Amino acid sequence: MSSSSSDLVVGSAPAVPAPAAGLPNGLAAFLVFLSSGAVLVLETVSLRLVGPYVGVTLQVTSSVIGMALAAIAYGAWMGGFLADRRDPRTLLAPALVLAGIATAVTLPVVRWTGEVLRGGAAGAVLMLTALAVLVPAALLAGITPLVVKLQLADLRRTGQVVGRLSGIGTLGGITATLVTGFVLVAALSSTVIVLGLAALLGLTGLGLGAYLRRRAGTGLPGPARAKAALAVLGLAGAGLATVAPNPCDVETAYHCARVVADPQRAGGRVLYLNSAQHSYVDLTDPTHLEYAYTRWIGLVADLAAPDGQRLDALHLGGGGFTVPRYLAATRPGTDNLVFEIDGGLVDLDRRKLGVRTGPDLRARVGDARVLLGGEPTDSRDLVVGDAFGHLVVPWHLATREMAGEIRRVLRPGGVYVQNVIDTPPGRFVRSELATVAAEFHHVALIAPPWAIAGEAGANFLLVASDAPLPLSRIIVRLRGLPEPAVLLHGDELTSYVGDALVLTDDYAPVDQLLATA
């Protein structure tokens, strides 16, 4: 019986495999730091890759973040699953090489697919952001559990090992986010960043494989033919990236920008920012205003003072500098000060759109809300609000506090005009009217009649002042424009606005108001 009992005890004890030799602490930390940081580089750059096709909105940003988090979750799960079933030393190098290949392939896949999926539909946004980040980020997220498994040779130090490597991974993500946002995006194009990251991952994987082979006969597994195939696939991905359609003339810190000549007008140039037409400029005639909303701004500016009288004008958002150039031409001596957050766009305007800064046209690079706080009280006759992030007015430029700052800067009798884009049911434009009306005594709205009726989206122009507006003269001028437009004021405007929300710094759900019901 004792023999049976002994046999039973021996037979019930599971065989415990000898633990795999761990990596040197420095190498383990480097791999976790690199892989975690690379995920955040991909997440940040993905916004720039998809922006030209689906815009840069809250929904797009949320989709990129969601896809990155999904990749991290599934990648870490799969990495842990495989780490318990295979020697992690045989998986680390292939995972890095494959992540490099997937990163390189991301560029052509997003750019060719983006041409097909242009627009802001939710399905297009989700699909394009998934293509941009899901596969390479998942492969990279699997690195950390593989490294952790290798380093857990002593179960008494589990907490210490997991905590240290988790902390290093977090530091890698923080470092990559800051370096990408403050340095890489400002200095390099998305193509260079993505291909540089792909090369770094691939070379690290190959180097790690060689190191592990020398150390313990493991590393990048498979015959030479398989390794050659991976190398060819990586080179093919990089090659395709160079011939994939690039929607940008230049990538600035904020935009994918390009300038397109108008075949119908010799001097006409259209400025595209991301996927949207942003400005139209005639290089030979600065008084030409192509878009309806710019004609409305010009009309109000024409009535803001007697013909030819100089103005002190402040422009929140530069774009193609269409309106500042118009005022400089129609009112010589006007002081046009432009707040433009994107210095790269100002440089592009100088190179391709004929912008010449000087005493009557000055550009100051920075956030309009921040720069406005430094402007003297009662210093401007006209303030033009035309700042957009894609097709959306940045929320902090749409609040009552912002309107109060504009009112402070305007002289008594000065005029504020604000360009807004909205689609049915028009919740944002109503809220913005309510917000501006909370600060200014007199407010009016210029828009196409079909947009007022809620039949289609359009540009809307808000006009505000503490002095009575020249309503009858605005109406007369509107009748002479090529496109029909109406002026809402008084009781009509009050009825149109209804009980719309007044936006404040504490609560300004701009993107949600713009979403169609």
Side-chain angles (χ1 to χ4, degrees), residues 212-301:
L212 292 174
R213 266 198 314 275
R214 289 197 307 269
R215 187 179 184 218
T218 59
L220 190 60
R225 190 175 299 174
K227 299 174 188 177
L230 288 175
V232 169
L233 184 58
L235 290 173
L240 287 173
T242 62
V243 298
N246 191 337
C248 314
D249 283 346
V250 63
E251 283 189 77
T252 71
Y254 293 89
H255 300 106
C256 164
R258 61 190 172 108
V259 175
V260 177
D262 181 359
Q264 306 300 319
R265 191 176 183 91
R269 299 291 185 272
V270 182
L271 171 65
Y272 286 83
L273 296 183
N274 297 323
S275 60
Q277 288 188 31
H278 193 277
S279 302
Y280 187 103
V281 170
D282 189 321
L283 300 179
T284 61
D285 181 8
T287 66
H288 176 73
L289 302 175
E290 179 72 15
Y291 298 147
Y293 83 90
T294 57
R295 295 194 186 105
W296 303 337
I297 295 174
L299 181 157
V300 174

Side-chain angles (χ1 to χ4, degrees), residues 2 5 30 32 68 85 87 113 118 120 162 166 200 206 214 274 276 305 311 329 340 346 358 361 372-373 414 421 479:
S2 65
S5 185
F30 169 75
V32 170
R85 285 156 178 79
D87 182 349
T113 308
R118 280 188 180 275
V162 173
S166 295
L200 175 61
L206 293 173
R214 289 197 307 269
N274 297 323
L311 296 173
E340 172 55 57
V346 176
L361 179 54
L372 185 65
I421 297 174
R479 291 172 183 160

Side-chain angles (χ1 to χ4, degrees), residues 343-367:
L345 180 58
V346 176
D347 293 338
L348 179 66
D349 290 337
R350 290 189 176 112
R351 293 196 310 272
K352 293 199 171 186
L353 294 180
V355 171
R356 298 289 180 267
T357 52
D360 61 346
L361 179 54
R362 295 174 292 138
R364 190 174 298 167
V365 176
D367 184 278

Side-chain angles (χ1 to χ4, degrees), residues 66-105:
M67 290 298 172
L69 290 174
I72 292 170
Y74 287 113
W77 183 11
M78 184 56 64
F81 177 84
L82 293 175
D84 287 338
R85 285 156 178 79
R86 295 279 303 273
D87 182 349
R89 293 172 299 172
T90 66
L91 300 173
L92 280 170
L96 283 167
V97 172
L98 288 172
I101 293 171
T103 300
V105 172

Side-chain angles (χ1 to χ4, degrees), residues 188-434:
L188 303 171
S189 69
S190 296
T191 300
V192 173
I193 295 172
V194 172
L195 292 182
L197 180 63
L200 175 61
L201 294 172
L203 291 173
T204 301
L206 293 173
L208 179 64
Y211 167 78
L212 292 174
R213 266 198 314 275
R214 289 197 307 269
R215 187 179 184 218
T218 59
L220 190 60
R225 190 175 299 174
K227 299 174 188 177
L230 288 175
V232 169
L233 184 58
L235 290 173
L240 287 173
T242 62
V243 298
N246 191 337
C248 314
D249 283 346
V250 63
E251 283 189 77
T252 71
Y254 293 89
H255 300 106
C256 164
R258 61 190 172 108
V259 175
V260 177
D262 181 359
Q264 306 300 319
R265 191 176 183 91
R269 299 291 185 272
V270 182
L271 171 65
Y272 286 83
L273 296 183
N274 297 323
S275 60
Q277 288 188 31
H278 193 277
S279 302
Y280 187 103
V281 170
D282 189 321
L283 300 179
T284 61
D285 181 8
T287 66
H288 176 73
L289 302 175
E290 179 72 15
Y291 298 147
Y293 83 90
T294 57
R295 295 194 186 105
W296 303 337
I297 295 174
L299 181 157
V300 174
D302 290 344
L303 299 176
D307 290 347
Q309 179 177 312
R310 69 173 297 279
L311 296 173
D312 290 313
L314 176 62
H315 305 263
L316 311 179
F321 283 60
T322 304
V323 175
R325 284 159 47 95
Y326 174 83
L327 291 177
T330 58
R331 294 180 178 274
T334 289
D335 175 29
N336 287 287
L337 175 59
V338 180
F339 292 162
E340 172 55 57
I341 196 169
D342 193 344
L345 180 58
V346 176
D347 293 338
L348 179 66
D349 290 337
R350 290 189 176 112
R351 293 196 310 272
K352 293 199 171 186
L353 294 180
V355 171
R356 298 289 180 267
T357 52
D360 61 346
L361 179 54
R362 295 174 292 138
R364 190 174 298 167
V365 176
D367 184 278
R369 178 75 179 266
V370 176
L371 295 176
L372 185 65
E375 286 298 292
T377 299
D378 297 339
S379 60
R380 295 287 162 180
D381 304 301
L382 176 69
V383 174
V384 180
D386 195 18
F388 284 84
H390 189 50
L391 301 177
V392 180
V393 177
W395 73 267
H396 68 301
L397 303 184
T399 65
R400 180 172 183 173
E401 290 83 352
M402 178 65 177
E405 273 295 282
I406 292 169
R407 183 186 180 198
R408 177 188 65 80
V409 169
L410 280 171
R411 294 182 176 123
V415 178
Y416 172 46
V417 292
Q418 181 187 2
N419 178 29
V420 167
I421 297 174
D422 203 358
T423 56
R427 292 176 297 186
F428 173 61
V429 67
R430 286 177 166 86
S431 279
E432 192 60 7
L433 283 164

